[in-house]
C-alpha cells in the first residue's frame, strides 16, 4: 500500500491508532482523536465505563429480548417454547451493532479478543444458550479487568465446561480436553513448557468441575479425584475446588502466559508477526500489573514502536463489515439487522461461529482468499446501493453536481487518511461512464471494496 | 504469513523457477497443459479422526478391553481382511475397498507424537515431522510450484480459505461452494476495482482472482451437481469437485476440509454421520466422475488418532497413530497397509496410544512419485527420504508421461 500521508506525522499516527483500536476510522471518531491527541484518545478509550453507551444498550435490549432474560427464562424461551436459534441470532446481531456503533470501541475490541481467546462456538442450540449467557455475564463484564479473573470465570463457565467437555470430566476416566486447551490455548501456549503428564494431572485436578442446571457452576466432590497431583513439577496445593483455583492462579501468573497473551494482543492490534522486543515489553507490563488488561493495553498502545508501525493488519471479515457500517452511518431505524447477519454469514466470520477452540484466525494468510474477496466486493456493492437513501454520507455526495466534488465528499467520509491521486482519478474516470444517479453509490462501493479499505 | 515471509517465498520461487511461477498463470498460454500426473484430491479430516473406530482391529482382544463401550463389534463391522473391519456407517468405503479402489493405511501419522490439533495439522500440512514446524510452504504448495499450472481453476480449495498444505508461490483459489460464488458487480465495477487494486502488489492477484474465477466457473456452475451425495460437508465439496472435473475446467489439485472429528465425549453418536458423509461422498464421487476416476487420486488424512483407552464420557482423548486412505483408479486397493503395532500396553506409544509404524509422508511420497509424476518427493516432505515403496499405487503408465510439457518432475 502506498502511504498517502507522511507515515510518521502526528495525523498518520492518530489515524493508525483509530484504525487499530476501533472498528473503523469514520470521520467523527477521527475528529475526536485529533482533538484528544494520541495518548488522550488511548486514555479515553481505556476508561470505557466513563463513556456513555446507554442509548445503544437500551436500543439493543429493546429490540433483542433474549439479551436480558435470566438463565431460567432463556432456557424456557429456547427449549420449551422452541425458539431454537433465538439466542444465537440475537447475540450475533447485538455483537455487530456494538462493534459498529458503540462509542466504547476499544472495549468492544477487547470483548472480541477474549471471545476469540476463550473461544466457545454457538453452533448448536445448547451451545448458543450457554454462549449467550457467558457473553453477557462473563466476557463483557470482565473484558477490561484482570486476566486471572477471566481465566477463573472461564474455567467455571457452563459454556466452556460444556464445550471442552469438562462437565463430563470425572475421576473414573478423566477427560483431557479442557486441561490440554487450557494450557495450549488459554495460558502457557503450546511451547510454554508443559508435558503430556501435566495434561493428565491437570485433567485430574478439574475432575468434578461441572454444570448445575440450567447454567451454573458446580463442584461435584463425588466425581472429583481427591488424590495428590503433580503439576509443572510441583505438588498441587489445597484440596477439592481449591486445587483448581490454585493451578489457575499459577497458570495466570506464569511467565509463558504473559508472553503468550502479549504476543496475541500484538498480533491482534499491530502485526501478524510482532517484534520480539515489543512482545517482551508488553509481557513485562502484563506481569508487572498482575495481568491487568488496562495496564497491558496502555503499555502496548503507547509503545513508541507500536505508534510508529505501519498499518500491516489485513482486516478480518467482521472488521471489514463493521468498518463499512461505521463509515456509511445508516440512519437510525434503518432495517439493517438482517442484512448484517446475512453479510457475516457469507463472510465466513459470523461471531461465535468458529468451531475449533483456538478462535478465528488472526493472520492475512488465512483471510486473504478469493472467496473472501468475492464476499467483500459483493458486500461493499450491496451496502452502498442498499443504503443509498439511508446513509447521510452517500446522500451528501449525491447532492454534488460535479463528479470531482462527489469524490471528495466520499473520500473524506470513507477514507479519512485520503487516497492516492491515482485512485482518485480512477474513481472519477469510471464514474463518468455511469448514469448520474449511480455515481455516488458506485464510487462509495469502490472505495469500500478497494485495497486501502482492507488494511488497518 | 508476514510481508517478509511472503516476499521471501516469492524470491525463492523466482530463484528456482526463473520467475515462471510469478507470472499470472492465466496470462500465459491459454491451452490446457494438464501434465501427465493424476488429479489430486486431498481431504483433511480436522479434529483427529479415531482410526480405531473408523477401521477397528477386530482380531485383537485388547481392542475390546480398552474400548468397553466404544469398540465396534465384530457383528456390526464391515469385514475387510479377517483382522480389520470398517465402521458400519462406512459402507461406501467398503464398496471402494472391495472394488480395489481404496487402500487403507493403518497406524499412520506423524513419526513424533504431537497431540495439539493445531501444531499437528500445521506440521502435516507442511509435510514435515513434529518439532520441525516453522513458517513455510505446504507440501501441496511445493508440488504446485513445480507444476506451475496455467489455468485459474487448476488449484482450488473447496473451502472459505486456502489450507496451509497449499501455501506456496502459486496462489490457489479458495472458491467455497460453486453455487455461492457469484459476483454481484457489473462490468464497469469490475474494471474500476481491478484498476484500483493494480496499485497494491500484495492484494492485486487475489482481487483479480475473483473475476478470473467467476468467469472460469460459469460453465462449471451450469453443470448440475451429481446425484447420490450425502447432505454433509464432504458431500457438498466432493460434488463440486466432480463438477470441476466433468466441466473440464483444468482442475489439478483440490483441497477439501472435513471438520468435527474431535470426539472427547459421546463419540459413537457423533462419528456415525461424519463417517456416512465421508464414505457415501467418496463412493458417489467415483460414480459421478466416471472415466476420470482412473486419473484421479484421493488421499484422506487427519492430524492424529485417538487414545486407545476410552474416557469416562464415552469419548477419546488425543492420541498418536491414526488411519489414512488412498482412493482412485490407480490405487492398489483392497488391502490394509502398514505393520500393525498391537494394542498391548507394552506396544503403545507413550504407554497409551497406537504407535506410528507408517510415517504419513511415506504415503505422500509414493503418491507424488507413482501418481503425480514427481521424481524426487523429498523436497516436498521437508527433506525426508521415504523408505522402500510399499506398492500403494500403480505407477502411471509410461506412455502417458511421454511428450508432455512438464519440467523434470524433480521438486526443488
Amino acid at each position: 500500500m502506498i502511504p498517502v500521508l507522511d507515515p510518521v506525522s502526528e495525523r498518520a499516527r492518530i489515524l493508525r491508532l483509530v484504525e487499530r483500536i476501533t472498528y473503523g476510522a469514520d470521520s467523527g471518531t477521527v475528529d475526536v482523536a485529533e482533538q484528544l491527541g494520541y495518548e488522550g484518545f488511548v486514555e479515553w478509550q481505556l476508561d470505557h465505563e466513563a463513556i456513555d453507551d446507554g442509548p445503544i444498550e437500551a436500543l439493543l435490549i429493546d429490540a433483542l429480548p433474549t439479551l436480558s432474560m435470566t438463565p431460567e427464562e432463556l432456557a424456557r424461551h429456547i427449549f420449551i417454547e422452541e425458539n431454537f436459534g433465538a439466542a444465537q441470532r440475537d447475540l450475533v446481531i447485538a455483537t455487530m451493532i456494538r462493534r459498529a456503533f458503540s462509542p466504547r470501541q476499544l472495549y468492544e475490541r477487547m470483548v472480541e479478543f477474549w471471545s476469540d481467546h476463550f473461544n466457545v462456538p454457538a453452533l448448536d442450540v445448547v451451545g448458543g444458550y450457554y454462549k449467550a449467557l457467558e457473553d453477557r455475564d462473563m466476557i463483557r463484564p470482565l473484558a477490561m479487568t484482570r486476566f486471572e479473573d477471566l481465566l477463573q470465570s472461564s474455567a467455571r463457565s457452563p459454556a466452556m465446561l460444556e464445550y471442552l467437555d469438562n462437565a463430563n470430566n470425572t475421576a473414573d476416566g478423566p477427560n483431557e480436553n479442557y486441561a490440554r486447551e487450557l494450557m495450549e490455548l488459554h495460558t502457557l501456549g503450546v511451547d510454554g513448557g508443559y508435558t503430556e503428564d501435566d495434561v493428565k494431572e491437570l485433567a485430574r485436578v478439574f475432575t468434578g468441575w461441572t454444570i448445575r442446571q440450567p447454567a451454573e457452576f458446580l463442584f461435584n466432590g463425588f466425581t472429583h479425584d481427591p488424590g495428590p497431583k503433580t503439576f509443572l513439577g510441583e505438588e498441587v496445593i489445597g484440596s477439592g475446588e481449591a486445587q483448581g483455583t490454585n493451578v489457575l492462579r499459577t497458570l495466570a501468573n506464569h511467565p509463558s502466559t504473559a508472553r503468550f497473551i502479549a504476543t496475541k494482543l500484538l498480533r491482534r492490534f499491530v502485526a501478524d508477526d510482532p517484534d520480539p522486543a515489543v512482545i517482551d515489553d508488553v509481557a513485562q507490563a502484563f506481569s508487572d500489573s498482575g495481568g491487568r488488561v488496562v495496564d497491558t493495553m496502555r503499555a502496548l498502545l503507547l509503545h513508541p514502536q507500536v505508534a510508529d508501525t505501519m498499518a500491516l493488519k489485513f482486516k478480518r471479515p467482521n472488521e471489514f463489515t463493521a468498518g463499512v457500517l461505521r463509515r456509511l452511518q445508516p440512519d437510525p431505524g434503518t432495517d439493517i439487522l438482517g442484512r448484517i447477519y446475512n453479510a457475516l454469514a457469507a463472510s465466513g466470520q459470523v461471531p461465535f461461529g468458529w468451531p475449533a477452540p483456538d478462535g478465528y484466525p488472526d493472520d492475512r494468510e488465512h483471510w486473504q482468499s478469493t472467496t473472501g474477496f468475492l464476499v467483500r466486493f459483493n458486500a461493499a456493492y450491496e451496502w452502498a446501493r442498499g443504503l443509498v437513501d439511508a446513509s447521510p454520507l452517500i446522500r451528501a455526495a449525491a447532492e454534488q453536481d460535479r463528479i470531482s466534488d462527489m469524490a471528495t465528499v466520499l473520500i473524506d467520509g470513507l477514507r479519512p487518511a485520503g487516497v492516492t491521486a491515482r485512485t482518485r482519478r480512477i474513481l472519477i474516470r469510471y464514474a463518468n461512464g455511469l448514469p448520474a444517479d449511480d455515481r455516488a453509490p458506485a464510487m462509495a462501493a469502490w472505495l469500500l471494496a478497494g485495497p486501502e479499505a482492507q488494511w488497518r | 504469513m508476514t510481508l517478509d515471509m511472503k516476499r521471501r517465498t516469492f524470491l525463492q520461487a523466482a530463484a528456482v523457477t526463473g520467475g515462471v511461477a510469478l507470472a499470472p498463470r492465466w496470462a500465459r498460454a491459454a491451452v490446457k497443459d494438464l501434465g501427465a500426473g493424476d488429479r489430486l484430491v486431498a481431504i483433511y479430516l480436522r479434529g483427529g479422526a479415531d482410526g480405531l473406530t473408523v477401521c477397528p482391529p477386530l482380531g485383537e482382544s485388547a481392542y475390546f478391553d480398552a474400548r468397553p463401550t466404544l469398540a465396534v463389534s465384530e457383528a456390526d463391522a464391515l469385514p475387510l481382511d479377517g483382522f480389520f473391519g470398517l465402521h458400519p456407517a462406512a459402507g461406501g468405503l467398503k464398496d471402494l475397498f472391495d472394488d480395489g479402489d481404496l487402500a487403507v493405511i493403518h497406524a499412520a501419522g506423524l513419526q513424533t507424537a504431537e497431540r495439539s490439533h493445531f501444531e499437528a495439522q500445521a506440521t502435516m500440512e507442511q509435510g514435515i515431522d513434529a518439532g520441525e514446524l516453522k513458517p513455510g510452504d505446504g507440501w501441496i504448495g511445493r508440488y504446485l510450484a513445480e507444476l506451475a499450472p496455467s489455468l485459474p481453476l487448476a488449484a482450488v480449495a473447496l473451502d472459505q480459505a486456502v489450507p496451509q498444505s497449499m501455501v506456496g508461490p502459486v496462489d490457489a483459489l479458495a472458491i467455497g461452494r460453486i453455487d455461492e460464488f457469484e459476483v454481484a458487480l457489473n462490468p464497469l465495477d469490475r474494471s474500476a476495482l481491478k484498476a484500483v487494486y493494480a496499485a497494491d502488489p500484495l492484494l492485486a492477484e487475489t482481487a483479480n482472482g475473483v473475476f478470473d474465477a467467476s468467469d472460469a466457473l460459469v460453465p462449471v456452475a451450469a453443470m448440475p451437481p451429481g446425484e447420490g451425495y450425502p447432505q454433509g460437508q464432504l458431500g457438498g465439496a466432493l460434488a463440486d469437485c466432480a463438477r470441476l472435473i466433468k466441466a473440464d475446467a483444468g482442475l489439478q489439485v483440490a483441497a477439501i476440509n472435513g471438520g468435527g472429528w474431535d470426539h472427547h465425549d459421546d463419540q459413537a453418536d457423533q462419528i456415525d454421520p461424519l463417517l456416512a458423509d465421508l464414505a457415501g461422498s467418496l463412493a458417489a464421487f467415483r460414480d459421478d466422475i466416471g472415466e476420470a476416476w482412473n486419473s484421479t487420486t484421493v488421499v484422506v488424512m487427519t492430524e492424529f488418532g485417538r487414545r486407545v483407552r476410552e474416557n469416562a464420557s464415552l469419548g477419546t482423548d488425543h492420541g498418536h497413530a491414526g488411519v489414512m486412505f488412498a482412493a482412485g483408479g490407480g490405487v492398489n486397493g483392497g488391502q490394509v497397509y502398514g505393520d500393525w503395532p498391537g494394542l498391548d500396553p507394552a506396544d503403545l506409544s507413550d504407554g497409551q496410544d497406537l504407535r506410528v509404524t507408517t510415517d504419513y509422508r511415506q504415503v505422500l511420497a509414493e503418491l507424488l512419485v507413482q501418481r503425480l509424476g514427481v521424481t524426487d518427493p523429498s523436497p516436498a516432505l521437508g527433506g525426508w527420504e521415504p523408505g522402500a515403496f510399499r506398492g500403494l499405487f500403480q505407477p502411471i503408465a509410461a506412455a502417458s508421461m511421454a511428450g508432455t510439457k512438464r519440467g523434470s518432475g524433480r521438486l526443488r
Side-chain angles (χ1 to χ4, degrees), chain A residues 36-227:
Chain A
L36 294 174
Y38 189 102
E39 196 173 336
F41 189 70
V42 169
E43 293 298 341
W44 178 55
Q45 283 290 312
L46 282 173
D47 188 11
H48 75 285
E49 286 179 338
I51 306 170
D52 181 18
D53 71 347
I56 283 194
E57 282 305 308
L59 187 145
L60 288 175
I61 285 176
D62 191 46
L64 305 167
T66 66
L67 293 187
S68 48
M69 290 181 183
T70 65
E72 291 75 14
E73 288 167 349
L74 188 57
R76 193 179 315 121
H77 183 70
I78 294 174
F79 300 108
I80 297 173
E81 294 161 11
E82 302 193 344
N83 297 297
F84 294 125
Q88 186 250 12
R89 186 175 187 282
D90 285 2
L91 175 61
V92 167
I93 290 173
T95 299
M96 281 314 294
I97 294 283
R98 286 164 173 151
R99 286 177 189 168
F101 301 118
S102 170
R104 299 176 175 182
Q105 284 283 294
L106 177 56
Y107 166 69
E108 295 298 340
R109 277 212 163 270
M110 293 312 300
V111 168
E112 184 191 10
F113 178 82
W114 296 120
S115 299
D116 278 329
H117 185 77
F118 295 106
N119 186 50
V120 175
L123 290 173
D124 59 23
V125 179
V126 174
Y129 169 66
Y130 285 135
K131 183 66 215 182
L133 296 172
E134 180 185 76
D135 183 75
R136 180 187 69 192
D137 299 336
M138 178 207 138
I139 299 274
R140 294 186 65 78
L142 298 180
M144 295 294 250
T145 60
R146 281 191 327 146
F147 178 70
E148 190 189 334
D149 298 342
L150 282 149
L151 188 67
Q152 295 278 359
S153 296
S154 167
R156 293 168 172 84
S157 158
M160 187 62 81
L161 288 163
E162 163 77 16
Y163 172 51
L164 291 183
D165 303 306
N166 206 77
N168 299 316
N169 181 17
T170 60
D172 60 346
N175 189 311
E176 297 170 4
N177 202 10
Y178 177 66
R180 181 184 304 279
E181 307 304 8
L182 169 62
M183 289 190 287
E184 179 180 336
L185 299 177
H186 299 166
T187 57
L188 305 176
V190 72
D191 298 319
Y194 61 93
T195 65
E196 273 304 292
D197 285 340
D198 288 323
V199 174
K200 289 182 192 155
E201 291 289 281
L202 198 52
R204 291 177 59 225
V205 168
F206 288 106
T207 49
W209 287 48
T210 188
I211 301 169
R212 187 203 305 275
Q213 298 302 333
E216 250 182 276
F217 171 67
L218 169 71
F219 175 77
N220 183 347
F222 296 107
T223 57
H224 179 71
D225 176 348

Side-chain angles (χ1 to χ4, degrees), chain A residues 241-450:
Chain A
E241 183 183 343
Q243 282 194 341
T245 307
N246 289 335
V247 295
L248 289 167
R249 182 163 302 134
T250 301
L251 287 168
N253 291 300
H254 197 286
S256 294
T257 301
R259 217 181 145 71
F260 185 56
I261 300 293
T263 306
K264 286 190 72 175
L265 285 169
L266 282 158
R267 182 171 297 136
R268 173 60 50 90
F269 286 97
V270 184
D272 287 358
D273 271 318
D275 183 329
V278 183
I279 295 175
D280 287 342
D281 293 342
V282 175
Q284 193 64 49
F286 180 91
S287 296
D288 290 349
S289 66
R292 277 181 47 85
V293 174
V294 168
D295 293 333
T296 308
M297 284 307 296
R298 180 182 291 117
L300 187 158
L301 294 170
L302 298 185
H303 197 291
Q305 211 175 311
V306 167
D308 287 339
T309 299
M310 285 289 292
L312 288 172
K313 286 296 289 183
F314 182 75
K315 283 182 193 171
R316 307 200 301 173
N318 89 87
E319 294 164 342
F320 174 79
T321 303
V324 171
L325 287 170
R326 282 182 71 71
R327 292 177 171 91
L328 291 181
Q329 303 277 341
D331 298 331
T334 308
D335 179 24
I336 57 168
L337 300 187
R339 273 169 189 271
I340 290 177
Y341 192 86
N342 294 340
L344 286 167
S347 76
Q349 204 190 7
V350 176
F352 320 110
W354 183 255
D358 56 343
Y360 277 113
D362 202 356
D363 61 309
R364 180 163 74 89
E365 196 63 50
H366 179 87
W367 294 113
Q368 184 184 336
S369 72
T370 324
T371 181
F373 268 45
L374 168 82
V375 170
R376 289 175 197 223
F377 293 175
N378 285 348
Y381 185 87
E382 282 157 16
W383 283 117
R385 285 178 193 265
L387 295 179
V388 64
D389 298 322
S391 162
L393 179 71
I394 301 182
R395 280 202 305 266
E399 283 165 10
Q400 307 300 316
D401 292 329
R402 296 167 49 196
I403 297 182
S404 61
D405 293 337
M406 222 178 244
T408 303
V409 170
L410 288 169
I411 290 166
D412 287 349
L414 299 174
R415 298 300 316 155
V419 297
T420 60
R422 181 180 171 281
T423 296
R424 189 184 152 84
R425 277 199 305 276
I426 291 170
L427 294 180
I428 292 170
R429 189 169 81 230
Y430 282 90
N432 211 13
L434 287 171
D437 285 355
D438 286 350
R439 286 173 183 158
M443 278 197 277
W446 303 336
L447 282 165
L448 291 168

Side-chain angles (χ1 to χ4, degrees), chain A residues 1-2 162 164-165 168-170 172-177 180-181 184-185 190-191 194 196 200 272-273 312 314 346-348 354 356-358 363-375 377-378 381-382 385 422-423 426-427 429-431 433-434 442 445-446 449-452 454-455, chain B residues 1-3 5-6 114-119 135 159-162 167 171-176 180-186 188-204 206-207 209-211 213-214 262-266 307 310-313 315 317-318 350 352-353:
Chain A
M1 192 173 46
I2 300 157
E162 163 77 16
L164 291 183
D165 303 306
N168 299 316
N169 181 17
T170 60
D172 60 346
N175 189 311
E176 297 170 4
N177 202 10
R180 181 184 304 279
E181 307 304 8
E184 179 180 336
L185 299 177
V190 72
D191 298 319
Y194 61 93
E196 273 304 292
K200 289 182 192 155
D272 287 358
D273 271 318
L312 288 172
F314 182 75
S347 76
W354 183 255
D358 56 343
D363 61 309
R364 180 163 74 89
E365 196 63 50
H366 179 87
W367 294 113
Q368 184 184 336
S369 72
T370 324
T371 181
F373 268 45
L374 168 82
V375 170
F377 293 175
N378 285 348
Y381 185 87
E382 282 157 16
R385 285 178 193 265
R422 181 180 171 281
T423 296
I426 291 170
L427 294 180
R429 189 169 81 230
Y430 282 90
L434 287 171
W446 303 336
E452 293 95 344
Q454 311 307 327
W455 298 100
Chain B
M1 192 177 283
T2 64
L3 211 72
M5 285 155 44
K6 187 82 177 176
E114 171 56 72
R115 295 178 180 85
S116 152
H117 293 296
F118 313 105
E119 294 286 299
D159 205 345
Q160 299 285 331
V162 173
V167 170
D171 278 349
L173 297 186
I175 59 171
E180 291 164 16
F181 200 100
E182 226 173 294
V183 180
L185 283 59
N186 62 41
L188 190 93
D189 291 313
R190 292 182 181 210
S191 305
L193 276 185
K194 280 187 166 188
V196 289
Y197 268 95
D200 190 328
L202 289 173
L203 304 183
T206 312
V210 172
F211 304 119
S214 90
D262 189 23
H263 301 133
H264 290 270
D265 72 342
D266 294 331
R307 184 140 301 166
E310 66 187 43
N311 64 30
S313 21
D317 294 317
H318 301 185
D350 297 330
Q352 59 189 10
D353 299 326

